[in-house]
Amino acid sequence: GEDVEQSLFLSVREGDSSVINCTYTDSSSTYLYWYKQEPGAGLQLLTYIFSNMDMKQDQRLTVLLNKKDKHLSLRIADTQTGDSAIYFCAGEVGGFQKLVFGTGTRLLVSP
Amino acid sequence: EPEVTQTPSHQVTQMGQEVILRCVPISNHLYFYWYRQILGQKVEFLVSFYNNEISEKSEIFDDQFSVERPDGSNFTLKIRSTKLEDSAMYFCASRGWTEAFFGQGTRLTVV
């Protein structure tokens, strides 16, 4: 089945850019997603990318997709302390059947 | 922004009791899901629901679990005879054509 891997932890300073990486195994995923989870809270959809795109930009967020390497990244420009959270990538499996989530990357932004 | 609503936000139940977790998906969505997240762990897929029937379920979703869309708006997850290891955050999600939105979750504590 689909396996989605992320690095566990990233620490940056306020104002820097953050890059969170994700690798996946199922090349048939049509959509790939990034979600943000703050402590004790739900999963907030940040952005998604269609599999025939290489890049998508949405304000401070840039998603890069390398289908050949099955690698997805989320870049957050001008990272703020409010961006501290866990970030999950998720790949679609079997069309609308389900999303498979990565392990999550804990982003810590220090002042 | 569209919103998935879950109730209750927190439920404490005794081992062996039945619980029903409730969700109101986004009104024009057709695909509905339940996921769970044991504290500090991955977000795990439980079940997907489309056209009033289960379209896929995971190994976790055994006979102890059932889902229902009783009235065309609510979407429920029933857990019969709860076990200590059922303690987790349970998330409902609904999906339109591209975006999958999650609720804030129900924290289930089995004592």
Side-chain angles (χ1 to χ4, degrees):
Chain A
E2 167 82 301
D3 194 23
V4 182
E5 296 290 334
Q6 298 178 239
S7 51
L8 289 181
F9 188 73
L10 177 65
S11 179
V12 300
R13 288 198 175 276
E14 195 172 21
D16 288 350
S17 291
S18 308
V19 179
I20 302 170
N21 295 301
C22 172
T23 57
Y24 60 96
T25 56
D26 190 335
S27 57
S28 67
S29 295
T30 305
Y31 292 96
L32 295 142
Y33 300 84
W34 284 102
Y35 287 87
K36 175 183 180 183
Q37 186 180 37
E38 297 185 56
L43 296 162
Q44 177 193 353
L45 177 64
L46 289 178
T47 187
Y48 64 93
I49 188 165
F50 187 48
S51 58
N52 69 353
M53 297 170 68
D54 298 323
M55 186 180 87
K56 180 179 179 182
Q57 188 151 2
D58 186 357
Q59 300 183 329
R60 291 191 299 123
L61 305 178
T62 303
V63 179
L64 295 178
L65 175 61
N66 182 327
K67 283 198 76 175
K68 176 174 164 290
D69 295 338
K70 298 179 189 171
H71 183 265
L72 182 72
S73 67
L74 175 70
R75 179 176 178 269
I76 306 173
D78 187 25
T79 316
Q80 303 296 306
T81 54
D83 295 324
S84 292
I86 299 176
Y87 290 79
F88 291 95
C89 66
E92 177 193 61
V93 174
F96 289 83
Q97 299 301 344
K98 62 183 178 186
L99 298 183
V100 175
F101 281 79
T103 45
T105 299
R106 184 178 296 275
L107 174 65
L108 178 64
V109 184
S110 52
Chain B
E1 184 175 284
E3 193 174 65
V4 175
T5 307
Q6 289 185 244
T7 54
S9 55
H10 190 189
Q11 174 135 15
V12 181
T13 190
Q14 290 211 322
M15 194 168 52
Q17 295 297 303
E18 175 182 287
V19 294
I20 297 177
L21 310 184
R22 291 184 165 80
C23 171
V24 179
I26 295 165
S27 61
N28 60 347
H29 284 182
L30 298 175
Y31 300 88
F32 312 112
Y33 311 85
W34 284 100
Y35 289 79
R36 80 172 185 191
Q37 185 182 32
I38 294 171
L39 186 64
Q41 297 187 25
K42 283 178 83 163
V43 178
E44 300 175 290
F45 168 76
L46 292 178
V47 65
S48 57
F49 193 85
Y50 170 72
N51 201 24
N52 286 320
E53 60 183 27
I54 290 173
S55 51
E56 184 166 343
K57 58 184 181 180
S58 72
E59 292 172 354
I60 303 167
F61 194 89
D62 59 20
D63 292 343
Q64 185 194 5
F65 294 87
S66 62
V67 289
E68 200 175 38
R69 195 150 190 252
D71 57 12
S73 61
N74 292 288
F75 180 49
T76 62
L77 174 69
K78 183 188 291 185
I79 310 175
R80 286 179 281 276
S81 190
T82 48
K83 304 188 278 267
L84 294 176
E85 54 264 38
D86 294 327
S87 295
M89 194 78 152
Y90 288 81
F91 292 107
C92 171
S94 74
R95 180 173 174 178
W97 191 245
T98 54
E99 296 162 301
F101 292 98
F102 283 73
Q104 289 298 301
T106 294
R107 181 171 297 284
L108 177 65
T109 303
V110 183
V111 297

